[in-house]
Amino acid sequence: MTTIVFMGTPEFAVPILEALVDAPQYEIQAVLTQPDRPVGRKHTLTESPVKVFAKEHGLKVLQPQKLSGSPEMQTVIDLQPDLMITAAYGQFLPTKMLAAAKIAAINVHGSLLPKYRGGAPIQYAVMNGDKETGVTIMHMVKKMDAGDIIAQQTEPITKDDDSGTMFKKLSLVGRDLLMKTLPQIIDGTAPSIKQDESKVVFSPNIKPEEERIDYQLPADRIDDLVRGLRPDPVGNMILDNQRTKIYDVTPLKEGTSLEPGKVVRVDKHTLVISAGDGTTYQINRLQPAGKSVMDITAYLNGHQNLQPGVTAITDD
């Protein structure tokens, strides 16, 4: 039986861990996940999806605040697992810890490396309007997402997809690709392909200032950003002088001569806004600061001042 220490945190990692648990040839010695975090307006301390699953299946859970030099790191080293497998864990693994894996330390990464190294590869693929992305199974090294590639599989991105749907799709792609690849990794026949450093693209964790959607972009690009930032952290604009989260827009075929941010058309159920390059889009779902998510009909009930030609969206 091959022994494994698994490391992961969000829902993306759960199907991958579940497949390993269900496979009789693998033994999960321990699961590492991020510490419980406060969530929501009430800051309720919440366990990660991986921790919830691990507890339900009686697995040993370790949650170091910082892995390097921690007792939990020493516990993993002492276990001397055959494999270390990470999937969106959220911390760097020290070299001393990586070296404790008898066979290999591998990562399930949500992009086609070397494109989108970093903590937000799925969001960036959608935000940038990519037509496809995928999953890479790779060897882990000290440098972020820079290890040799073992296997890759592509997955299309449609205009109906957002980061949430792609997380779910790529989680299953990663699960299946890992389970297919593991026997080769274990018997030493798996490929090991060096990444082309000239093609590296980074996808660092999204900063608060990057959640502001540039309303002067063309409508298709605004749609890409809205979908890429949904369902979390959700992009925002200053709409009718109020910071407003934008959950859903539809780029339209109709053009306009109005400068970006102006109301093109409005009725009880529709708000059409001008964007860059003479393009337009309608806002479908949004959330003004301090209020619940609502459709555009409910929003317009309280914003009768938004009339054709009026500036609706501003910089601040």
Side-chain angles (χ1 to χ4, degrees):
M1 184 174 288
T2 303
T3 57
I4 296 172
V5 169
F6 183 85
M7 306 171 206
T9 298
E11 192 65 40
F12 174 85
V14 173
I16 299 166
L17 176 57
E18 182 177 18
L20 293 169
V21 168
D22 289 344
Q25 66 270 38
Y26 304 126
E27 176 192 352
I28 306 297
Q29 293 176 299
V31 172
L32 276 73
T33 190
Q34 293 281 61
D36 300 353
R37 304 292 192 200
V39 174
R41 292 182 180 179
K42 295 184 179 180
H43 301 287
T44 305
L45 205 59
T46 303
E47 299 175 340
S48 75
V50 163
K51 181 181 179 181
V52 172
F53 177 88
K55 286 172 60 180
E56 288 173 351
H57 290 77
L59 302 174
K60 181 176 183 176
V61 177
L62 304 174
Q63 294 180 273
Q65 190 74 39
K66 183 181 179 184
L67 192 51
S68 182
S70 68
E72 291 87 353
M73 184 183 87
Q74 189 59 49
T75 296
V76 172
I77 292 172
D78 292 342
L79 285 171
Q80 293 286 295
D82 294 316
L83 295 169
M84 292 183 195
I85 299 176
T86 68
Y89 173 44
Q91 291 195 47
F92 281 107
L93 273 61
T95 303
K96 183 179 179 181
M97 185 172 171
L98 293 174
K102 293 178 182 176
I103 298 174
I106 58 176
N107 180 38
V108 184
H109 184 76
S111 82
L112 298 173
L113 292 170
K115 193 174 187 180
Y116 299 137
R117 291 181 182 178
I122 298 173
Q123 290 95 329
Y124 273 83
V126 180
M127 289 166 64
N128 288 340
D130 292 0
K131 297 295 188 291
E132 68 175 17
T133 184
V135 171
T136 300
I137 309 295
M138 56 172 286
H139 288 284
M140 282 191 285
V141 295
K142 187 175 182 181
K143 188 176 178 182
M144 181 179 63
D145 299 329
D148 290 356
I149 295 168
I150 300 169
Q152 291 186 319
Q153 184 168 324
T154 61
E155 180 71 17
I157 303 173
T158 74
K159 285 296 185 179
D160 292 325
D161 282 313
D162 61 16
S163 290
T165 63
M166 291 309 300
F167 265 96
K168 292 176 182 177
K169 290 180 181 181
L170 293 180
S171 176
L172 300 182
V173 170
R175 175 198 66 188
D176 295 344
L177 186 60
L178 175 69
M179 299 307 288
K180 178 182 177 181
T181 308
L182 273 179
Q184 296 173 289
I185 295 171
I186 293 165
D187 67 21
T189 62
S192 187
I193 303 165
K194 290 196 177 299
Q195 295 187 39
D196 185 342
E197 293 292 326
S198 70
K199 296 182 178 179
V200 170
V201 177
F202 290 102
S203 58
N205 290 331
I206 295 168
K207 299 175 182 177
E209 58 267 27
E210 294 169 320
E211 297 167 20
R212 177 67 60 83
I213 296 168
D214 183 354
Y215 68 93
Q216 300 192 56
L217 291 170
D220 280 339
R221 290 290 300 118
I222 290 174
D223 179 45
D224 290 336
L225 290 169
V226 169
R227 292 183 296 107
L229 292 165
R230 187 179 72 215
D232 183 69
V234 185
N236 66 81
M237 294 177 169
I238 303 299
L239 175 60
D240 199 15
N241 299 313
Q242 185 177 33
R243 183 178 177 273
T244 303
K245 291 187 175 182
I246 307 296
Y247 277 83
D248 185 62
V249 303
T250 302
L252 302 175
K253 292 181 179 179
E254 65 184 271
T256 182
S257 59
L258 293 173
E259 63 187 38
K262 299 272 190 181
V263 176
V264 176
R265 241 180 339 106
V266 63
D267 57 39
K268 289 183 179 181
H269 310 291
T270 308
L271 177 62
V272 177
I273 303 293
S274 55
D277 294 346
T279 60
T280 63
Y281 61 97
Q282 67 182 38
I283 299 176
N284 304 315
R285 199 157 51 93
L286 67 174
Q287 183 182 19
K291 297 185 178 180
S292 301
V293 180
M294 62 183 71
D295 63 25
I296 195 63
T297 302
Y299 178 81
L300 289 172
N301 282 337
H303 294 265
Q304 283 87 7
N305 58 306
L306 292 175
Q307 296 299 317
V310 167
T311 299
I313 299 174
T314 54
D315 289 315
D316 51 35

